[in-house]
Amino acid sequence: MARKKIALIGAGMIGGTLAHLAAKKEMGDVVLFDIAEGMPQGKALDLSQCGPIEGFDAKITGTNDYADIAGADVVIVTAGVPRKPGMSRDDLLGINLKVMKAVGEGIKNNCPDAFVICITNPLDAMVWALREFSGLPHNKVVGMAGVLDSARFATFLAWEFDTSVKDVNAFVLGGHGDTMVPVLSYSTINGIPVADMAKIKGVSESRLDEIVDRTRKGGGEIVGLLGNGSAYYAPATSAISMAEAYLGDQKRILPCAAHLTGEYGVDGLYVGVPAVIGADGIEGVVEIELSDEEKNNLQVSIDAVKELLEACKGLDSSLA
Ligand SMILES: NC(=O)c1ccc[n+]([C@@H]2O[C@H](COP(=O)([O-])OP(=O)(O)OC[C@H]3O[C@@H](n4cnc5c(N)ncnc54)[C@H](O)[C@@H]3O)[C@@H](O)[C@H]2O)c1
Ligand SMILES: O=C(O)C[C@H](O)C(=O)O
């Protein structure tokens, strides 16, 4: 069987990390695309030279030509600009919307059968715009955020309860902004609801609220610490798990920005929900029961995403 082809659009911090992970896991041959000349070629050469040491068989190439992503099975998009300290993700909307237009056309013209994972921020608006510009079926275009946000939530819970992260199943719904909804009621420590574990361990409700708040602001915390750029190791790892679910037809239920047609009372938007990823891309959305408070919080997050889509339509009339 021929090797799969993974195209990475954007060869910056996340793009380079994605290339390394995809090659190390022998997911397929990797093409790193960027508009910066020489940079994707340089990273590809450097990463190729990990092969003999790590013992992976994967061809890694760098390019500035969209023709080289032809026939890709999976495309992961990180092209664009990250925020700087003091900025919100939404401040990137204007600049990254133009990038999504170019990328969407590149995908449409070269690999219209690919499964496309968007990472560029502001995520929920960019994945929607990328889908519009590319014209691919909605089930083949998805946004990565929920896996990352849930991993942050899980990390903080594991630290608090002094337990292995392997036993924590934490869950975040909604848009990838400060209004995201970490859902404690569906988060468990090896099946034990977090609220029960908190009682056992003497962790107060206000401490759990602090963990929820830290999760919501998890991206900004890293942006502030790095001083230049944003998180890239965990974002890349998150997107790779989604790509593996697709390539391996794993039917994993992963929180991701999926196109909704009525689920959670939402129509025509991309919002973070539990979605099934298998060989057909997004094969379904799981609708879970939420408390009134969780529903209200989700609505606030959905409204924030809606506002961003309106802003996109105002900036690019082809989206209106
Ligand atoms: N969804 C998430 O959870 C999440 C997590 C982390 C970062 N992000 C976002 O991912 C994006 C990338 O982050 P990064 O750290 O890799 O940034 P980066 O600056 O290191 O890399 C971005 C790359 O995109 C390239 N680029 C710009 N315009 C392009 C175009 N038109 N075509 C192709 N390439 C182009 C740049 O040359 C650069 O190499 C940012 O928007 C960031 O906010 C999202
Ligand atoms: O916070 C950012 O700007 C990057 C990303 O969305 C993240 O959550 O790490």
Side-chain angles (χ1 to χ4, degrees):
M1 197 171 63
R3 285 192 208 153
K4 297 293 183 190
K5 180 167 173 177
I6 322 282
L8 306 174
I9 312 297
M13 299 310 289
I14 307 178
T17 311
L18 285 167
H20 195 187
L21 288 171
K24 208 171 154 75
K25 286 170 170 270
E26 295 189 329
M27 289 167 65
D29 290 336
V30 177
V31 179
L32 266 168
F33 174 97
D34 204 288
I35 48 165
E37 287 183 17
M39 188 269 271
Q41 292 85 349
K43 284 202 180 184
L45 198 53
D46 185 10
L47 285 162
S48 299
Q49 293 161 7
C50 295
I53 306 162
E54 296 182 332
F56 60 69
D57 282 313
K59 192 170 158 211
I60 309 170
T61 47
T63 185
N64 309 112
D65 184 353
Y66 269 111
D68 292 326
I69 71 166
D73 298 284
V74 171
V75 179
I76 308 180
V77 178
T78 61
V81 176
R83 63 174 156 157
K84 295 190 167 58
M87 290 171 79
S88 92
R89 296 178 182 93
D90 300 353
D91 295 335
L92 305 171
L93 187 104
I95 187 161
N96 284 348
L97 184 64
K98 290 193 191 116
V99 174
M100 290 306 101
K101 190 162 196 164
V103 175
E105 278 162 16
I107 293 171
K108 176 165 66 182
N109 295 333
N110 293 285
C111 49
D113 296 325
F115 180 57
V116 179
I117 302 170
C118 180
I119 301 185
T120 303
N121 273 321
L123 188 272
D124 308 273
M126 292 303 100
V127 64
W128 173 82
L130 183 65
R131 207 303 309 170
E132 295 291 313
F133 291 133
S134 68
L136 264 60
H138 286 101
N139 61 310
K140 298 296 280 296
V141 182
V142 65
M144 186 297 291
V147 175
L148 172 67
D149 297 326
S150 301
R152 286 182 175 145
F153 195 22
T155 305
F156 300 145
L157 287 169
W159 287 348
E160 185 63 29
F161 292 126
D162 194 20
T163 185
S164 166
V165 286
K166 290 180 195 160
D167 289 334
V168 185
N169 206 331
F171 183 54
V172 178
L173 274 177
H176 183 57
D178 292 352
T179 58
M180 69 179 75
V181 188
V183 192
L184 273 173
S185 60
Y186 280 89
S187 300
T188 64
I189 315 292
N190 208 358
I192 306 164
V194 163
D196 293 359
M197 195 62 165
K199 279 187 201 134
I200 294 164
K201 292 267 190 178
V203 174
S204 65
E205 266 187 46
S206 62
R207 179 66 191 135
L208 288 180
D209 289 344
E210 281 170 16
I211 291 172
V212 164
D213 191 53
R214 187 175 183 190
T215 301
R216 284 200 178 115
K217 297 178 183 153
E221 183 178 0
I222 294 175
V223 168
L225 288 166
L226 293 179
N228 185 15
S230 52
Y232 49 98
Y233 294 114
T237 306
S238 303
I240 289 289
S241 71
M242 294 166 66
E244 286 182 307
Y246 171 72
L247 291 172
D249 190 22
Q250 291 173 349
K251 320 281 186 203
R252 288 199 68 191
I253 299 177
L254 294 172
C256 37
H259 185 255
L260 300 181
T261 50
E263 302 90 343
Y264 293 93
V266 178
D267 200 13
L269 303 191
Y270 273 87
V271 180
V273 291
V276 182
I277 303 186
D280 287 333
I282 297 299
E283 297 184 349
V285 167
V286 182
E287 275 192 89
I288 54 172
E289 285 283 323
L290 295 171
S291 68
D292 286 345
E293 190 190 353
E294 289 163 345
K295 274 188 202 153
N296 288 341
N297 290 343
L298 182 59
Q299 194 54 51
V300 170
S301 186
I302 291 165
D303 289 344
V305 174
K306 272 189 194 155
E307 253 182 58
L308 288 180
L309 294 205
E310 288 313 310
C312 288
K313 290 175 188 172
L315 287 168
D316 188 318
S317 56
S318 73
L319 294 170

